């Protein structure tokens, strides 16, 4: 059975039962009050009759009492009071009727219930289709006075009220039942709308929404459904994007493996099957060595990406000037090979993060700038502290990146200049790794071309004192396609200033990671 019918058959009978009990109580209360009034009136009449009779009887002498009758005594005080005969009867102690002015003789059991202490009694009797209230009182001389009143109209009025109430209750029940049914229909119609939308959503129609404008619980439920549908639609889009990226990653990874493996297999087979001279053997071995190193670099990058996406980092306050100094020392040798200058300007401040991971980010960015910069140019590394937000800029004087390529440069294996990247040992994983590291630090970053030429990378770190809780994001944020891979970057315009701290090109770094030998992207 449907919920609407259950509610209808539950509420309507309860309403009818309540209405019946309440109406019966009201009518019966009114009837009992009217019956009590009639009984009191009959009591008063009996008392008046008894008093008048006793006064008239006591006013007569013994001789007058013997010469008169009860009827004459009663008729005399009726005449004096200007009152005609009524429904009264006088009995002797042995039950002989001494006087009666009505042919009605209702049978009662009042006489047997009278005592010396309680000499008055009443009873309601029905006789000849009529209803009477009878009052019987015992006088001091042993005689009994009985008065009665016809209260048939009182019972007739009660029965008429019951009949009218039954008709009214039926009409009211029909009206209220119809209103309840209409209300349940409207409520259940909204619930059916929600049910249909839920089934459509479950069938894959993620654009399904419900339009229920009400401020009740059903309206709130509809709002919650739409909120859930929006959230799930967003998650489905994110999953689709993730699947697409995974497919693209697998395809690119297979492509990246194919080229060096083909060279390795080909040259190894040449050495195995042919008699080569020393120079030819060295040449084949050199190709195998370089392609093997390329595969090794690719493996290191993939390992770092896996570790960066799966670890919980421990954040500490890191002075930016120390971080820049360390990056400068590490990159000094590689920059000197192209006669490049690294100009550093760092305002006082700290960032909250993991030193090794942040160092890896800046090394990748500077190494990308190195590969894109012509010989003799300058790379700028600038830090600004404003309002508790520390912003870092990495700029080069290279050719920049085509605007249509900017949204994709953080995708794994994506390379703007594939020939140059492969020539320098790159695999297109550096920025993909950096993006994960920046995301772990809840920072933001952005890529843009400089008007005077070159690429500018902006990183923003929140205030260290904010004490944000380190946690992995359970699901990626959804970004617009045009800025999907720029979501971790945003930059305020700030031109790099002149050099304040720069390392001489000849200075050798204390540690140089093999991961920095990859291509720009």
């Amino acid at each position: 059975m449907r919920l609407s019918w259950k509610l209808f058959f539950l509420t309507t009978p309860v309403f009818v039962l309540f209405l019946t009990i309440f109406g019966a109580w009201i009518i019966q209360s009114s009837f009992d009050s009217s019956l009590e009034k009639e009984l009191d009136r009959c009591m008063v009449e009996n008392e008046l009759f008894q008093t008048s009779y006793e006064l008239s009887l006591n006013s007569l002498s013994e001789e007058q009492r013997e010469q008169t009758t009860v009827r004459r005594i009663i008729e005399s005080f009726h005449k004096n009071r200007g009152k005609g005969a009524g429904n009264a009867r006088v009995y002797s102690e042995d039950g002989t009727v001494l006087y009666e002015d009505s042919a009605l003789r209702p049978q009662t059991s009042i006489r047997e219930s009278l005592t010396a202490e309680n000499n008055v009694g009443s009873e309601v009797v029905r006789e000849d289709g009529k209803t009477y209230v009878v009052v019987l009182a015992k006088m001091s001389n042993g005689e009994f006075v009985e008065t009665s009143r016809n209260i048939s109209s009182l019972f007739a009025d009660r029965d008429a009220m019951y009949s009218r109430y039954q008709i009214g209750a039926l009409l009211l029940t029909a009206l209220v039942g119809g209103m309840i049914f209409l209300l349940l229909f409207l409520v259940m119609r909204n619930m059916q709308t929600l049910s249909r939308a839920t089934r459509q959503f479950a069938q894959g129609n993620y654009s399904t929404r419900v339009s229920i404008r009400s401020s009740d619980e059903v309206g709130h439920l509809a709002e919650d459904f739409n909120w859930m549908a929006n959230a799930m639609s967003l998650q489905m889009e994110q999953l689709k994007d993730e699947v697409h990226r995974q497919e693209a990653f697998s395809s690119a990874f297979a492509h990246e493996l194919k080229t060096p493996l083909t060279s390795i297999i080909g040259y190894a087979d040449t050495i195995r099957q042919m008699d080569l001279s020393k120079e030819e053997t060295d040449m084949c071995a050199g190709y195998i060595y370089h392609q093997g190193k390329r595969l090794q670099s690719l493996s290191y990058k993939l390992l770092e990406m896996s570790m960066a996406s799966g670890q919980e980092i421990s954040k500490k306050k890191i002075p930016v000037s120390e971080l820049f100094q360390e990056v400068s020392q590490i990159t000094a040798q590689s920059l000197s090979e192209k006669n490049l200058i690294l100009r550093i300007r760092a305002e006082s401040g700290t960032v909250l993060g993991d030193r090794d991971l942040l160092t890896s980010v800046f090394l990748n960015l500077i190494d990308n700038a190195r590969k894109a910069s012509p010989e003799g140019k300058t790379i700028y590394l600038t830090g600004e502290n404003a309002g508790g937000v520390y912003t870092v800029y990495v700029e080069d004087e290279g050719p920049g990146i085509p605007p249509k390529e900017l949204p994709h440069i953080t995708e794994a294996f994506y390379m703007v200049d594939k020939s140059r990247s492969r020539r320098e040992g790159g695999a297109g994983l550096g920025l993909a790794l950096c993006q994960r590291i920046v995301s772990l630090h809840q920072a933001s970053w952005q890529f843009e071309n400089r008007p005077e030429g070159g690429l500018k990378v902006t990183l923003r770190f929140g205030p260290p004192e904010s004490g944000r809780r380190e946690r992995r994001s359970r699901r990626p944020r959804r970004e617009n396609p045009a800025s999907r891979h720029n979501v971790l970057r945003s930059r305020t315009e700030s031109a790099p200033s002149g050099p304040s701290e720069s390392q001489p090109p000849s200075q050798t770094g204390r540690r140089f990671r093999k991961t920095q030998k990859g291509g720009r992207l």
Side-chain angles (χ1 to χ4, degrees), residues 387-508:
V389 176
Y390 205 97
T391 307
V392 177
Y393 305 104
V394 180
E395 302 173 79
D396 61 57
E397 297 179 343
I401 296 177
K404 65 178 182 179
E405 306 286 348
L406 283 175
H408 307 289
I409 59 177
T410 57
E411 294 179 3
F413 296 110
Y414 191 88
M415 292 175 281
V416 177
D417 190 344
K418 295 181 175 57
S419 61
R420 185 186 69 200
S421 297
R422 290 199 176 101
R423 184 173 61 250
E424 299 191 13
L429 293 175
L431 291 183
L433 172 63
C434 291
Q435 176 165 286
R436 298 195 180 186
I437 296 175
V438 172
S439 178
L440 285 174
H441 287 77
Q442 288 87 43
S444 63
W445 70 345
Q446 177 183 355
F447 289 98
E448 58 183 332
N449 288 311
R450 301 172 64 206
E452 61 272 23
L455 182 69
K456 183 196 315 186
V457 184
T458 305
L459 294 94
R460 280 198 179 90
F461 298 88
E465 60 273 15
S466 62
R468 291 178 298 179
R469 181 184 175 187
E470 294 100 12
R471 59 180 176 86
R472 290 183 57 196
S473 178
R474 288 179 290 180
R475 63 171 185 264
R477 275 196 321 161
R478 185 185 181 190
E479 305 93 10
N480 294 328
S483 61
R484 178 168 48 191
H485 301 287
N486 297 342
V487 71
L488 301 176
R489 312 162 190 168
S490 62
R491 145 101 215 204
T492 57
E493 290 297 329
S494 176
S497 61
S500 60
E501 298 180 17
S502 60
Q503 299 300 322
S506 60
Q507 184 174 356
T508 303

Side-chain angles (χ1 to χ4, degrees), residues 71-117:
R71 175 173 292 278
R72 292 183 64 182
I73 294 174
I74 295 174
E75 288 177 349
S76 66
F77 72 71
H78 273 327
K79 183 177 180 181
N80 293 335
R81 292 174 56 193
K83 181 179 179 182
N87 296 326
R89 183 175 289 107
V90 179
Y91 297 93
S92 64
E93 192 171 359
D94 58 3
T96 303
V97 177
L98 302 177
Y99 169 81
E100 62 180 352
D101 54 10
S102 172
L104 178 65
R105 289 188 179 184
Q107 299 297 320
T108 66
S109 58
I110 304 175
R111 186 171 179 176
E112 289 77 7
S113 64
L114 297 180
T115 62
E117 293 80 11

Side-chain angles (χ1 to χ4, degrees), residues 170-435:
L170 289 175
L171 294 176
L172 185 60
T173 300
L175 178 62
V176 174
M179 293 177 62
I180 293 175
F181 183 81
L182 179 61
L183 179 62
L184 290 175
F185 171 77
L186 294 176
V187 174
M188 291 301 110
R189 183 180 64 178
N190 291 336
M191 296 298 292
Q192 290 174 358
T193 301
L194 276 172
S195 179
R196 286 194 299 269
T198 302
R199 287 194 296 270
Q200 292 177 5
F201 197 87
Q203 292 171 0
N205 186 6
Y206 301 117
S207 62
T208 300
R209 299 294 184 273
V210 291
S211 177
I212 298 178
R213 293 186 176 92
S214 62
S215 57
D216 55 8
E217 288 78 2
V218 178
H220 295 322
L221 181 60
E223 293 177 359
D224 292 341
F225 173 84
N226 290 336
W227 179 85
M228 178 206 68
N230 290 333
M232 292 192 66
S233 296
L234 179 60
Q235 291 181 10
M236 292 303 298
E237 290 296 326
Q238 291 173 343
L239 288 175
K240 290 180 181 178
D241 292 342
E242 184 66 24
V243 169
H244 176 72
R245 287 194 294 269
Q246 291 294 337
E247 291 176 350
F249 178 86
S250 299
S251 177
F253 182 64
H255 179 74
E256 289 297 323
L257 287 178
K258 182 181 69 174
T259 301
L261 286 176
T262 300
S263 298
I264 291 173
I265 293 172
Y267 283 110
D269 187 62
T270 300
I271 294 175
R272 183 174 64 88
Q273 295 188 11
M274 299 179 62
D275 293 332
L276 302 177
S277 63
K278 179 70 168 58
E279 292 78 7
E280 292 173 335
T281 301
D282 290 342
M283 180 190 69
C284 292
Y287 277 117
I288 293 174
Y289 173 79
H290 289 298
Q291 294 301 323
K293 294 294 288 184
R294 183 179 173 191
L295 287 178
Q296 183 187 50
S297 175
L298 178 62
S299 300
Y300 287 161
K301 286 288 185 180
L302 290 175
L303 181 61
E304 287 190 40
M305 287 183 65
S306 176
M307 293 178 63
S309 62
Q311 66 178 333
E312 292 287 344
I313 63 174
S314 176
K315 295 181 180 180
K316 297 180 180 178
K317 291 183 180 180
I318 306 170
V320 178
S321 58
E322 294 182 7
L323 192 62
F324 283 6
Q325 182 74 16
E326 184 176 1
V327 171
S328 174
Q329 293 174 355
I330 295 174
T331 58
Q333 181 176 357
S334 61
L335 294 178
S336 65
E337 294 175 359
K338 294 185 67 173
N339 196 26
L340 297 175
I341 300 174
L342 177 63
R343 296 191 182 276
I344 298 177
R345 181 178 66 85
E347 294 182 357
S348 177
T350 60
V351 295
L352 191 66
D354 183 275
R355 179 183 291 270
D356 291 336
L357 292 179
L358 291 179
T359 301
S360 178
V361 170
F362 292 123
L363 290 176
N364 272 281
L365 294 178
I366 293 176
D367 193 57
N368 282 342
R370 177 188 67 81
K371 295 169 185 175
S373 299
E375 291 191 10
K377 295 295 183 179
T378 302
I379 298 174
Y380 301 94
L381 180 60
T382 309
E384 295 180 354
N385 191 359
V389 176
Y390 205 97
T391 307
V392 177
Y393 305 104
V394 180
E395 302 173 79
D396 61 57
E397 297 179 343
I401 296 177
K404 65 178 182 179
E405 306 286 348
L406 283 175
H408 307 289
I409 59 177
T410 57
E411 294 179 3
F413 296 110
Y414 191 88
M415 292 175 281
V416 177
D417 190 344
K418 295 181 175 57
S419 61
R420 185 186 69 200
S421 297
R422 290 199 176 101
R423 184 173 61 250
E424 299 191 13
L429 293 175
L431 291 183
L433 172 63
C434 291
Q435 176 165 286

